Coordinates of all heavy atoms in Angstrom, one line a residue:
Q1296 N -39.6 -17.6 32.3 CA -40.8 -16.9 32.3 C -41.0 -15.9 31.2 O -42.1 -15.3 31.1 CB -41.0 -16.2 33.7 CG -40.0 -15.2 34.0 CD -38.8 -15.7 34.8 OE1 -38.5 -16.9 34.7 NE2 -38.2 -14.9 35.6
G1297 N -39.9 -15.7 30.4 CA -40.1 -14.8 29.3 C -39.8 -13.4 29.6 O -39.1 -13.0 30.5
G1298 N -40.3 -12.5 28.8 CA -40.1 -11.0 28.9 C -39.0 -10.6 27.8 O -38.8 -11.3 26.9
H1299 N -38.4 -9.5 28.0 CA -37.4 -9.0 27.1 C -36.4 -8.1 27.8 O -36.7 -7.5 28.9 CB -37.9 -8.4 25.9 CG -38.6 -7.0 26.1 ND1 -39.9 -6.9 26.5 CD2 -38.1 -5.8 26.1 CE1 -40.2 -5.7 26.7 NE2 -39.1 -4.9 26.4
F1300 N -35.2 -8.0 27.3 CA -34.1 -7.2 27.9 C -33.9 -5.9 27.1 O -34.1 -5.8 25.9 CB -32.8 -8.0 27.9 CG -32.8 -9.1 28.9 CD1 -32.5 -10.4 28.4 CD2 -33.1 -8.9 30.2 CE1 -32.5 -11.4 29.3 CE2 -33.1 -10.0 31.1 CZ -32.8 -11.2 30.7
A1301 N -33.4 -4.9 27.8 CA -32.9 -3.7 27.1 C -31.7 -3.2 27.9 O -31.4 -3.7 29.0 CB -34.0 -2.6 27.1
T1302 N -31.0 -2.2 27.4 CA -29.8 -1.7 28.1 C -29.9 -0.2 28.3 O -30.4 0.5 27.4 CB -28.5 -2.0 27.3 OG1 -28.4 -3.4 27.1 CG2 -27.3 -1.5 27.9
L1303 N -29.5 0.2 29.5 CA -29.5 1.6 29.8 C -28.1 2.0 30.2 O -27.4 1.3 31.0 CB -30.4 1.9 31.0 CG -30.4 3.4 31.6 CD1 -31.0 4.3 30.6 CD2 -31.1 3.5 32.9
V1304 N -27.6 3.1 29.6 CA -26.2 3.6 29.9 C -26.3 5.0 30.4 O -26.9 5.8 29.8 CB -25.3 3.6 28.6 CG1 -23.9 4.1 28.9 CG2 -25.3 2.2 28.0
Q1305 N -25.7 5.2 31.6 CA -25.6 6.5 32.2 C -24.2 6.9 32.3 O -23.3 6.1 32.5 CB -26.2 6.5 33.6 CG -27.8 6.4 33.6 CD -28.4 6.6 35.0 OE1 -27.7 6.4 36.0 NE2 -29.6 7.0 35.0
R1306 N -23.9 8.3 32.2 CA -22.6 8.8 32.2 C -22.5 9.9 33.3 O -23.4 10.8 33.4 CB -22.2 9.4 30.9 CG -20.8 9.9 30.8 CD -20.5 10.6 29.5 NE -21.0 12.0 29.5 CZ -21.1 12.7 28.4 NH1 -20.7 12.2 27.2 NH2 -21.5 14.0 28.4
Y1307 N -21.5 9.8 34.1 CA -21.2 10.8 35.2 C -19.7 11.2 35.2 O -18.9 10.4 34.7 CB -21.5 10.2 36.6 CG -23.0 9.8 36.8 CD1 -23.5 8.5 36.5 CD2 -23.9 10.8 37.2 CE1 -24.8 8.2 36.6 CE2 -25.2 10.4 37.4 CZ -25.7 9.1 37.1 OH -27.0 8.8 37.3
T1308 N -19.5 12.3 35.7 CA -18.1 12.8 35.8 C -17.5 12.5 37.2 O -16.3 12.7 37.5 CB -18.0 14.3 35.5 OG1 -18.9 15.0 36.4 CG2 -18.3 14.6 34.1
S1309 N -18.4 12.1 38.1 CA -18.0 11.7 39.5 C -18.6 10.3 39.8 O -19.6 10.0 39.3 CB -18.4 12.7 40.5 OG -19.8 12.8 40.5
A1310 N -17.9 9.5 40.6 CA -18.3 8.1 40.8 C -19.5 8.1 41.8 O -19.7 9.0 42.6 CB -17.1 7.3 41.4
R1311 N -20.3 7.1 41.6 CA -21.5 6.8 42.4 C -21.2 5.6 43.3 O -20.4 4.7 42.9 CB -22.7 6.5 41.6 CG -23.2 7.7 40.7 CD -23.7 8.8 41.6 NE -24.2 9.9 40.8 CZ -23.5 11.0 40.4 NH1 -22.2 11.1 40.8 NH2 -24.1 12.0 39.7
Q1312 N -21.7 5.6 44.5 CA -21.5 4.4 45.4 C -22.5 3.3 45.1 O -23.2 2.8 46.0 CB -21.6 4.9 46.8 CG -20.6 6.1 47.2 CD -19.2 5.7 46.9 OE1 -18.7 4.6 47.3 NE2 -18.5 6.6 46.2
W1313 N -22.5 2.9 43.9 CA -23.4 1.8 43.5 C -22.7 0.5 43.4 O -21.5 0.5 43.0 CB -24.1 2.1 42.2 CG -25.1 3.3 42.3 CD1 -25.6 3.8 43.4 CD2 -25.5 4.0 41.1 NE1 -26.4 4.9 43.0 CE2 -26.4 5.1 41.7 CE3 -25.3 4.0 39.8 CZ2 -27.0 6.0 40.8 CZ3 -25.9 4.9 39.0 CH2 -26.7 5.9 39.5
E1314 N -23.3 -0.6 43.8 CA -22.7 -1.9 43.8 C -23.1 -2.7 42.5 O -24.3 -2.7 42.2 CB -23.1 -2.7 45.0 CG -22.5 -2.1 46.3 CD -22.9 -3.0 47.5 OE1 -23.3 -4.2 47.3 OE2 -22.8 -2.5 48.7
I1315 N -22.2 -3.3 41.9 CA -22.5 -4.1 40.7 C -23.3 -5.3 41.2 O -23.0 -6.0 42.2 CB -21.2 -4.6 40.0 CG1 -20.4 -3.3 39.5 CG2 -21.4 -5.6 38.9 CD1 -19.1 -3.7 38.9
G1316 N -24.3 -5.6 40.4 CA -25.2 -6.8 40.7 C -26.4 -6.4 41.5 O -27.3 -7.3 41.7
R1317 N -26.6 -5.2 41.9 CA -27.8 -4.7 42.6 C -28.7 -4.0 41.7 O -28.3 -3.4 40.7 CB -27.4 -3.9 43.8 CG -26.7 -4.6 44.9 CD -26.5 -3.7 46.1 NE -27.8 -3.1 46.6 CZ -27.9 -2.2 47.5 NH1 -26.8 -1.8 48.2 NH2 -29.1 -1.7 47.9
A1318 N -30.0 -4.0 42.1 CA -31.0 -3.3 41.3 C -31.2 -1.9 41.9 O -31.2 -1.8 43.2 CB -32.3 -4.1 41.3
Y1319 N -31.5 -0.9 41.1 CA -31.7 0.4 41.6 C -32.9 1.1 40.8 O -33.1 0.7 39.6 CB -30.4 1.3 41.3 CG -29.2 0.9 42.2 CD1 -28.3 0.0 41.7 CD2 -29.1 1.4 43.4 CE1 -27.2 -0.4 42.4 CE2 -28.0 1.1 44.2 CZ -27.0 0.2 43.7 OH -26.0 -0.2 44.5
P1320 N -33.6 2.0 41.5 CA -34.6 2.7 40.8 C -33.9 3.8 39.9 O -33.1 4.5 40.3 CB -35.4 3.4 41.9 CG -34.4 3.5 43.0 CD -33.5 2.3 42.9
I1321 N -34.3 3.8 38.6 CA -33.7 4.6 37.6 C -34.7 5.6 37.0 O -35.8 5.2 36.6 CB -33.0 3.8 36.5 CG1 -31.9 2.9 37.2 CG2 -32.4 4.7 35.5 CD1 -30.7 3.7 37.8
D1322 N -34.3 6.9 36.9 CA -35.1 7.8 36.1 C -34.7 7.7 34.6 O -33.6 8.0 34.2 CB -34.8 9.2 36.6 CG -35.6 10.3 35.9 OD1 -36.5 9.9 35.0 OD2 -35.4 11.5 36.2
T1323 N -35.7 7.2 33.9 CA -35.4 6.9 32.4 C -35.9 8.1 31.6 O -35.8 8.0 30.3 CB -36.1 5.6 32.0 OG1 -37.5 5.7 32.2 CG2 -35.5 4.4 32.7
G1324 N -36.3 9.2 32.1 CA -36.8 10.3 31.3 C -35.7 10.9 30.5 O -34.5 10.9 30.9
M1325 N -36.0 11.5 29.4 CA -35.1 12.1 28.5 C -34.4 13.3 29.1 O -33.4 13.8 28.7 CB -35.8 12.5 27.1 CG -36.3 11.3 26.4 SD -34.9 10.2 25.9 CE -34.0 11.3 24.7
T1326 N -35.1 13.9 30.1 CA -34.6 15.1 30.7 C -33.5 14.8 31.7 O -32.8 15.7 32.2 CB -35.7 15.9 31.4 OG1 -36.3 15.1 32.4 CG2 -36.7 16.4 30.4
H1327 N -33.3 13.5 32.0 CA -32.3 13.2 33.0 C -30.9 13.2 32.3 O -30.7 12.4 31.4 CB -32.6 11.8 33.6 CG -31.6 11.4 34.7 ND1 -31.5 12.2 35.8 CD2 -30.8 10.3 34.9 CE1 -30.6 11.6 36.7 NE2 -30.2 10.5 36.1
E1328 N -30.1 14.1 32.6 CA -28.9 14.4 31.8 C -27.9 13.2 31.8 O -27.2 13.1 30.9 CB -28.2 15.6 32.4 CG -27.0 16.1 31.5 CD -26.5 17.4 32.0 OE1 -27.0 18.0 33.0 OE2 -25.4 17.9 31.5
A1329 N -27.9 12.4 32.8 CA -26.9 11.3 32.9 C -27.3 10.2 31.9 O -26.4 9.4 31.5 CB -26.9 10.7 34.3
N1330 N -28.5 10.1 31.4 CA -28.9 9.0 30.5 C -28.3 9.3 29.1 O -28.6 10.3 28.5 CB -30.5 8.9 30.4 CG -31.1 8.5 31.7 OD1 -30.5 7.8 32.5 ND2 -32.4 8.8 31.9
R1331 N -27.5 8.3 28.6 CA -26.9 8.4 27.3 C -27.5 7.5 26.3 O -27.5 7.8 25.1 CB -25.4 8.1 27.4 CG -24.6 8.9 28.5 CD -24.8 10.4 28.3 NE -24.4 10.8 27.0 CZ -24.8 11.9 26.4 NH1 -25.7 12.7 27.0 NH2 -24.3 12.3 25.2
Y1332 N -28.0 6.4 26.7 CA -28.6 5.4 25.8 C -29.6 4.5 26.5 O -29.4 4.1 27.6 CB -27.4 4.5 25.2 CG -28.0 3.4 24.3 CD1 -28.3 3.6 23.0 CD2 -28.1 2.1 24.9 CE1 -28.8 2.5 22.2 CE2 -28.6 1.1 24.1 CZ -28.9 1.3 22.8 OH -29.4 0.2 22.1
Q1333 N -30.6 4.1 25.7 CA -31.6 3.1 26.2 C -32.1 2.4 24.9 O -32.7 3.0 24.0 CB -32.7 3.7 27.0 CG -33.6 2.6 27.6 CD -34.7 3.2 28.5 OE1 -34.7 4.5 28.7 NE2 -35.5 2.4 29.1
G1334 N -31.9 1.1 24.9 CA -32.4 0.3 23.7 C -31.9 -1.1 23.8 O -31.4 -1.6 24.8
A1335 N -32.1 -1.8 22.6 CA -31.9 -3.3 22.6 C -30.7 -3.6 21.7 O -30.5 -4.8 21.4 CB -33.1 -4.0 22.0
E1336 N -29.9 -2.6 21.3 CA -28.7 -2.9 20.5 C -27.6 -3.5 21.4 O -27.8 -3.6 22.7 CB -28.1 -1.7 19.9 CG -29.1 -1.0 18.9 CD -29.4 -1.8 17.7 OE1 -28.6 -2.6 17.3 OE2 -30.6 -1.7 17.2
D1337 N -26.4 -3.9 20.8 CA -25.4 -4.5 21.6 C -24.2 -3.5 21.8 O -23.1 -3.9 22.3 CB -24.9 -5.8 21.0 CG -24.4 -5.6 19.6 OD1 -24.4 -4.5 19.1 OD2 -24.0 -6.7 19.0
C1338 N -24.3 -2.3 21.3 CA -23.2 -1.3 21.5 C -23.7 0.1 21.3 O -24.8 0.3 20.8 CB -22.0 -1.6 20.5 SG -22.5 -1.4 18.8
F1339 N -22.9 1.1 21.8 CA -23.3 2.5 21.7 C -22.1 3.3 21.7 O -21.1 3.1 22.5 CB -24.2 2.8 22.9 CG -24.4 4.3 23.1 CD1 -25.0 5.1 22.2 CD2 -23.9 4.9 24.3 CE1 -25.1 6.5 22.4 CE2 -24.0 6.2 24.5 CZ -24.6 7.1 23.6
L1340 N -22.0 4.3 20.8 CA -20.9 5.3 20.7 C -21.3 6.6 21.3 O -22.3 7.2 20.8 CB -20.5 5.4 19.3 CG -19.3 6.4 19.1 CD1 -18.0 5.7 19.7 CD2 -19.1 6.8 17.6
D1341 N -20.7 7.0 22.4 CA -21.0 8.3 23.0 C -20.0 9.3 22.6 O -18.8 9.2 23.0 CB -21.0 8.1 24.6 CG -21.3 9.4 25.3 OD1 -22.0 10.2 24.7 OD2 -21.0 9.6 26.4
A1342 N -20.4 10.3 21.8 CA -19.5 11.3 21.3 C -19.9 12.7 21.6 O -19.4 13.7 21.1 CB -19.3 11.1 19.8
E1343 N -20.9 12.8 22.4 CA -21.5 14.1 22.7 C -20.9 14.8 23.9 O -20.9 14.2 25.0 CB -23.0 14.0 22.8 CG -23.8 15.3 23.0 CD -25.3 15.1 23.1 OE1 -25.7 14.0 22.9 OE2 -26.0 16.1 23.4
R1344 N -20.4 16.0 23.7 CA -20.0 16.9 24.8 C -18.8 16.2 25.6 O -18.8 16.3 26.9 CB -21.1 17.3 25.8 CG -22.2 18.1 25.1 CD -23.1 18.7 26.1 NE -23.7 17.8 27.0 CZ -24.8 17.1 26.8 NH1 -25.4 17.2 25.6 NH2 -25.3 16.3 27.7
L1345 N -18.0 15.5 25.0 CA -16.8 14.9 25.6 C -15.7 15.9 25.7 O -15.4 16.6 24.7 CB -16.3 13.7 24.9 CG -17.3 12.5 24.9 CD1 -16.7 11.3 24.1 CD2 -17.6 12.0 26.3
Q1346 N -15.1 16.1 26.9 CA -14.0 17.1 27.0 C -12.7 16.4 27.1 O -12.5 15.5 27.8 CB -14.3 17.9 28.3 CG -15.6 18.7 28.4 CD -15.6 19.7 27.3 OE1 -14.6 20.4 27.0 NE2 -16.8 19.9 26.7
P1347 N -11.7 16.9 26.3 CA -10.4 16.3 26.3 C -9.8 16.4 27.7 O -9.9 17.5 28.4 CB -9.6 17.2 25.3 CG -10.6 17.7 24.4 CD -11.8 17.9 25.2
G1348 N -9.1 15.3 28.1 CA -8.5 15.3 29.5 C -9.5 15.0 30.6 O -9.1 14.9 31.7

Side-chain angles (χ1 to χ4, degrees):
Q1296 61 267 30
H1299 68 274
F1300 291 126
T1302 300
L1303 174 70
V1304 179
Q1305 289 189 335
R1306 184 184 79 190
Y1307 296 92
T1308 56
S1309 60
R1311 298 291 185 268
Q1312 303 302 312
W1313 294 338
E1314 295 181 14
I1315 295 175
R1317 288 187 56 184
Y1319 293 92
I1321 298 295
D1322 180 4
T1323 60
M1325 295 298 295
T1326 58
H1327 189 55
E1328 189 174 352
N1330 292 336
R1331 308 305 303 154
Y1332 171 81
Q1333 185 173 2
E1336 302 293 333
D1337 60 0
C1338 64
F1339 163 64
L1340 180 71
D1341 182 23
E1343 185 177 352
R1344 299 194 305 274
L1345 295 177
Q1346 298 299 320

